[in-house]
PDB file of all heavy atoms in Angstrom:
ATOM      1  N   LEU A 220     144.765  69.188  68.307  1.00 93.00           N
ATOM      2  CA  LEU A 220     144.178  70.509  68.079  1.00 93.00           C
ATOM      3  C   LEU A 220     145.223  71.597  68.216  1.00 93.00           C
ATOM      4  O   LEU A 220     145.353  72.484  67.363  1.00 93.00           O
ATOM      5  CB  LEU A 220     143.044  70.742  69.085  1.00 93.00           C
ATOM      6  CG  LEU A 220     142.490  72.167  69.147  1.00 93.00           C
ATOM      7  CD1 LEU A 220     141.615  72.461  67.943  1.00 93.00           C
ATOM      8  CD2 LEU A 220     141.727  72.391  70.440  1.00 93.00           C
ATOM      9  N   ILE A 221     145.997  71.544  69.291  1.00 92.00           N
ATOM     10  CA  ILE A 221     146.976  72.592  69.564  1.00 92.00           C
ATOM     11  C   ILE A 221     148.090  72.584  68.520  1.00 92.00           C
ATOM     12  O   ILE A 221     148.647  73.631  68.185  1.00 92.00           O
ATOM     13  CB  ILE A 221     147.533  72.425  70.993  1.00 92.00           C
ATOM     14  CG1 ILE A 221     146.405  72.691  72.002  1.00 92.00           C
ATOM     15  CG2 ILE A 221     148.706  73.348  71.253  1.00 92.00           C
ATOM     16  CD1 ILE A 221     146.785  72.433  73.442  1.00 92.00           C
ATOM     17  N   SER A 226     145.206  76.405  63.901  1.00 55.00           N
ATOM     18  CA  SER A 226     144.611  76.616  65.213  1.00 55.00           C
ATOM     19  C   SER A 226     144.409  78.102  65.451  1.00 55.00           C
ATOM     20  O   SER A 226     145.045  78.950  64.805  1.00 55.00           O
ATOM     21  CB  SER A 226     145.511  76.047  66.319  1.00 55.00           C
ATOM     22  OG  SER A 226     145.493  74.646  66.295  1.00 55.00           O
ATOM     23  N   PRO A 227     143.532  78.458  66.411  1.00 51.00           N
ATOM     24  CA  PRO A 227     143.350  79.868  66.743  1.00 51.00           C
ATOM     25  C   PRO A 227     144.669  80.501  67.164  1.00 51.00           C
ATOM     26  O   PRO A 227     145.594  79.810  67.603  1.00 51.00           O
ATOM     27  CB  PRO A 227     142.358  79.828  67.910  1.00 51.00           C
ATOM     28  CG  PRO A 227     141.658  78.517  67.779  1.00 51.00           C
ATOM     29  CD  PRO A 227     142.673  77.585  67.199  1.00 51.00           C
ATOM     30  N   PRO A 228     144.795  81.838  67.033  1.00 47.00           N
ATOM     31  CA  PRO A 228     146.011  82.517  67.485  1.00 47.00           C
ATOM     32  C   PRO A 228     146.378  82.100  68.902  1.00 47.00           C
ATOM     33  O   PRO A 228     145.521  81.896  69.747  1.00 47.00           O
ATOM     34  CB  PRO A 228     145.617  83.999  67.417  1.00 47.00           C
ATOM     35  CG  PRO A 228     144.568  84.050  66.351  1.00 47.00           C
ATOM     36  CD  PRO A 228     143.808  82.755  66.469  1.00 47.00           C
ATOM     37  N   ALA A 229     147.686  81.979  69.148  1.00 49.00           N
ATOM     38  CA  ALA A 229     148.134  81.353  70.384  1.00 49.00           C
ATOM     39  C   ALA A 229     148.575  82.368  71.436  1.00 49.00           C
ATOM     40  O   ALA A 229     148.852  83.522  71.149  1.00 49.00           O
ATOM     41  CB  ALA A 229     149.292  80.396  70.084  1.00 49.00           C
ATOM     42  N   ARG A 230     148.636  81.887  72.654  1.00 49.00           N
ATOM     43  CA  ARG A 230     149.198  82.674  73.749  1.00 49.00           C
ATOM     44  C   ARG A 230     150.132  81.765  74.530  1.00 49.00           C
ATOM     45  O   ARG A 230     150.010  80.542  74.485  1.00 49.00           O
ATOM     46  CB  ARG A 230     148.085  83.210  74.659  1.00 49.00           C
ATOM     47  CG  ARG A 230     147.250  82.133  75.338  1.00 49.00           C
ATOM     48  CD  ARG A 230     146.095  82.750  76.110  1.00 49.00           C
ATOM     49  NE  ARG A 230     145.154  81.737  76.593  1.00 49.00           N
ATOM     50  CZ  ARG A 230     145.199  81.204  77.801  1.00 49.00           C
ATOM     51  NH1 ARG A 230     146.124  81.572  78.660  1.00 49.00           N
ATOM     52  NH2 ARG A 230     144.320  80.303  78.168  1.00 49.00           N
ATOM     53  N   ASP A 231     151.070  82.362  75.260  1.00 51.00           N
ATOM     54  CA  ASP A 231     151.994  81.575  76.070  1.00 51.00           C
ATOM     55  C   ASP A 231     151.325  81.161  77.372  1.00 51.00           C
ATOM     56  O   ASP A 231     150.687  81.968  78.053  1.00 51.00           O
ATOM     57  CB  ASP A 231     153.249  82.393  76.405  1.00 51.00           C
ATOM     58  CG  ASP A 231     154.124  82.602  75.181  1.00 51.00           C
ATOM     59  OD1 ASP A 231     154.008  81.797  74.242  1.00 51.00           O
ATOM     60  OD2 ASP A 231     154.916  83.560  75.175  1.00 51.00           O
ATOM     61  N   VAL A 232     151.465  79.892  77.728  1.00 45.00           N
ATOM     62  CA  VAL A 232     150.951  79.373  78.993  1.00 45.00           C
ATOM     63  C   VAL A 232     152.044  78.541  79.641  1.00 45.00           C
ATOM     64  O   VAL A 232     152.716  77.750  78.980  1.00 45.00           O
ATOM     65  CB  VAL A 232     149.687  78.506  78.770  1.00 45.00           C
ATOM     66  CG1 VAL A 232     149.314  77.777  80.048  1.00 45.00           C
ATOM     67  CG2 VAL A 232     148.525  79.378  78.317  1.00 45.00           C
ATOM     68  N   THR A 233     152.227  78.713  80.937  1.00 48.00           N
ATOM     69  CA  THR A 233     153.202  77.924  81.678  1.00 48.00           C
ATOM     70  C   THR A 233     152.500  76.750  82.333  1.00 48.00           C
ATOM     71  O   THR A 233     151.548  76.924  83.096  1.00 48.00           O
ATOM     72  CB  THR A 233     153.900  78.778  82.753  1.00 48.00           C
ATOM     73  OG1 THR A 233     154.533  79.884  82.110  1.00 48.00           O
ATOM     74  CG2 THR A 233     154.949  77.956  83.493  1.00 48.00           C
ATOM     75  N   THR A 234     152.954  75.540  82.056  1.00 45.00           N
ATOM     76  CA  THR A 234     152.350  74.337  82.616  1.00 45.00           C
ATOM     77  C   THR A 234     152.847  74.133  84.046  1.00 45.00           C
ATOM     78  O   THR A 234     153.811  74.769  84.486  1.00 45.00           O
ATOM     79  CB  THR A 234     152.728  73.110  81.768  1.00 45.00           C
ATOM     80  OG1 THR A 234     154.133  72.868  81.929  1.00 45.00           O
ATOM     81  CG2 THR A 234     152.431  73.353  80.295  1.00 45.00           C
ATOM     82  N   THR A 239     156.807  76.245  78.982  1.00 47.00           N
ATOM     83  CA  THR A 239     156.017  77.277  78.315  1.00 47.00           C
ATOM     84  C   THR A 239     155.547  76.740  76.973  1.00 47.00           C
ATOM     85  O   THR A 239     156.354  76.268  76.172  1.00 47.00           O
ATOM     86  CB  THR A 239     156.834  78.553  78.110  1.00 47.00           C
ATOM     87  OG1 THR A 239     157.237  79.056  79.386  1.00 47.00           O
ATOM     88  CG2 THR A 239     156.006  79.613  77.389  1.00 47.00           C
ATOM     89  N   ILE A 240     154.223  76.804  76.745  1.00 44.00           N
ATOM     90  CA  ILE A 240     153.656  76.292  75.499  1.00 44.00           C
ATOM     91  C   ILE A 240     152.755  77.358  74.888  1.00 44.00           C
ATOM     92  O   ILE A 240     152.364  78.321  75.539  1.00 44.00           O
ATOM     93  CB  ILE A 240     152.839  75.012  75.733  1.00 44.00           C
ATOM     94  CG1 ILE A 240     151.671  75.301  76.700  1.00 44.00           C
ATOM     95  CG2 ILE A 240     153.704  73.889  76.270  1.00 44.00           C
ATOM     96  CD1 ILE A 240     150.678  74.172  76.775  1.00 44.00           C
ATOM     97  N   LYS A 241     152.451  77.173  73.622  1.00 45.00           N
ATOM     98  CA  LYS A 241     151.502  78.037  72.929  1.00 45.00           C
ATOM     99  C   LYS A 241     150.134  77.357  72.935  1.00 45.00           C
ATOM    100  O   LYS A 241     150.016  76.179  72.612  1.00 45.00           O
ATOM    101  CB  LYS A 241     151.940  78.270  71.480  1.00 45.00           C
ATOM    102  CG  LYS A 241     153.241  79.051  71.335  1.00 45.00           C
ATOM    103  CD  LYS A 241     153.027  80.534  71.548  1.00 45.00           C
ATOM    104  CE  LYS A 241     154.291  81.313  71.200  1.00 45.00           C
ATOM    105  NZ  LYS A 241     154.119  82.762  71.446  1.00 45.00           N
ATOM    106  N   THR A 242     149.072  78.088  73.280  1.00 42.00           N
ATOM    107  CA  THR A 242     147.733  77.517  73.280  1.00 42.00           C
ATOM    108  C   THR A 242     146.760  78.449  72.570  1.00 42.00           C
ATOM    109  O   THR A 242     146.932  79.659  72.583  1.00 42.00           O
ATOM    110  CB  THR A 242     147.220  77.276  74.714  1.00 42.00           C
ATOM    111  OG1 THR A 242     147.158  78.531  75.396  1.00 42.00           O
ATOM    112  CG2 THR A 242     148.146  76.345  75.469  1.00 42.00           C
ATOM    113  N   PRO A 243     145.694  77.888  71.943  1.00 41.00           N
ATOM    114  CA  PRO A 243     144.710  78.720  71.253  1.00 41.00           C
ATOM    115  C   PRO A 243     144.048  79.699  72.211  1.00 41.00           C
ATOM    116  O   PRO A 243     143.813  79.392  73.364  1.00 41.00           O
ATOM    117  CB  PRO A 243     143.696  77.691  70.721  1.00 41.00           C
ATOM    118  CG  PRO A 243     144.462  76.421  70.630  1.00 41.00           C
ATOM    119  CD  PRO A 243     145.437  76.450  71.780  1.00 41.00           C
ATOM    120  N   ASN A 244     143.737  80.887  71.711  1.00 41.00           N
ATOM    121  CA  ASN A 244     143.173  81.916  72.572  1.00 41.00           C
ATOM    122  C   ASN A 244     142.247  82.855  71.815  1.00 41.00           C
ATOM    123  O   ASN A 244     142.150  84.014  72.126  1.00 41.00           O
ATOM    124  CB  ASN A 244     144.301  82.737  73.223  1.00 41.00           C
ATOM    125  CG  ASN A 244     143.789  83.664  74.296  1.00 41.00           C
ATOM    126  OD1 ASN A 244     142.900  83.289  75.041  1.00 41.00           O
ATOM    127  ND2 ASN A 244     144.344  84.851  74.390  1.00 41.00           N
ATOM    128  N   SER A 245     141.570  82.392  70.773  1.00 36.00           N
ATOM    129  CA  SER A 245     140.738  83.294  69.987  1.00 36.00           C
ATOM    130  C   SER A 245     139.337  82.737  69.856  1.00 36.00           C
ATOM    131  O   SER A 245     139.156  81.555  69.613  1.00 36.00           O
ATOM    132  CB  SER A 245     141.329  83.476  68.593  1.00 36.00           C
ATOM    133  OG  SER A 245     140.486  84.243  67.784  1.00 36.00           O
ATOM    134  N   GLN A 489     139.721  74.326  77.103  1.00 95.00           N
ATOM    135  CA  GLN A 489     141.020  74.825  77.543  1.00 95.00           C
ATOM    136  C   GLN A 489     141.510  74.228  78.858  1.00 95.00           C
ATOM    137  O   GLN A 489     142.724  74.169  79.088  1.00 95.00           O
ATOM    138  CB  GLN A 489     140.986  76.345  77.622  1.00 95.00           C
ATOM    139  CG  GLN A 489     140.021  76.911  78.642  1.00 95.00           C
ATOM    140  CD  GLN A 489     139.944  78.421  78.565  1.00 95.00           C
ATOM    141  OE1 GLN A 489     140.572  79.115  79.352  1.00 95.00           O
ATOM    142  NE2 GLN A 489     139.187  78.929  77.613  1.00 95.00           N
ATOM    143  N   TRP A 492     143.998  71.451  78.274  1.00 94.00           N
ATOM    144  CA  TRP A 492     145.252  71.722  77.566  1.00 94.00           C
ATOM    145  C   TRP A 492     146.440  71.509  78.491  1.00 94.00           C
ATOM    146  O   TRP A 492     146.330  71.750  79.699  1.00 94.00           O
ATOM    147  CB  TRP A 492     145.275  73.157  77.036  1.00 94.00           C
ATOM    148  CG  TRP A 492     144.203  73.471  76.031  1.00 94.00           C
ATOM    149  CD1 TRP A 492     143.407  72.608  75.347  1.00 94.00           C
ATOM    150  CD2 TRP A 492     143.789  74.789  75.623  1.00 94.00           C
ATOM    151  NE1 TRP A 492     142.530  73.291  74.530  1.00 94.00           N
ATOM    152  CE2 TRP A 492     142.746  74.635  74.685  1.00 94.00           C
ATOM    153  CE3 TRP A 492     144.192  76.079  75.950  1.00 94.00           C
ATOM    154  CZ2 TRP A 492     142.110  75.718  74.083  1.00 94.00           C
ATOM    155  CZ3 TRP A 492     143.564  77.159  75.344  1.00 94.00           C
ATOM    156  CH2 TRP A 492     142.533  76.974  74.425  1.00 94.00           C
ATOM    157  N   PRO A 493     147.616  71.077  78.005  1.00 93.00           N
ATOM    158  CA  PRO A 493     147.943  70.783  76.602  1.00 93.00           C
ATOM    159  C   PRO A 493     147.788  69.332  76.194  1.00 93.00           C
ATOM    160  O   PRO A 493     147.909  69.007  75.030  1.00 93.00           O
ATOM    161  CB  PRO A 493     149.419  71.178  76.532  1.00 93.00           C
ATOM    162  CG  PRO A 493     149.952  70.786  77.867  1.00 93.00           C
ATOM    163  CD  PRO A 493     148.832  71.076  78.844  1.00 93.00           C
TER     164      PRO A 493
END
Side-chain angles (χ1 to χ4, degrees):
L220 170 75
I221 293 175
S226 289
R230 62 185 171 95
D231 289 337
V232 170
T233 302
T234 68
T239 299
I240 60 169
K241 294 282 188 182
T242 61
N244 190 39
S245 175
Q489 64 186 261
W492 298 346

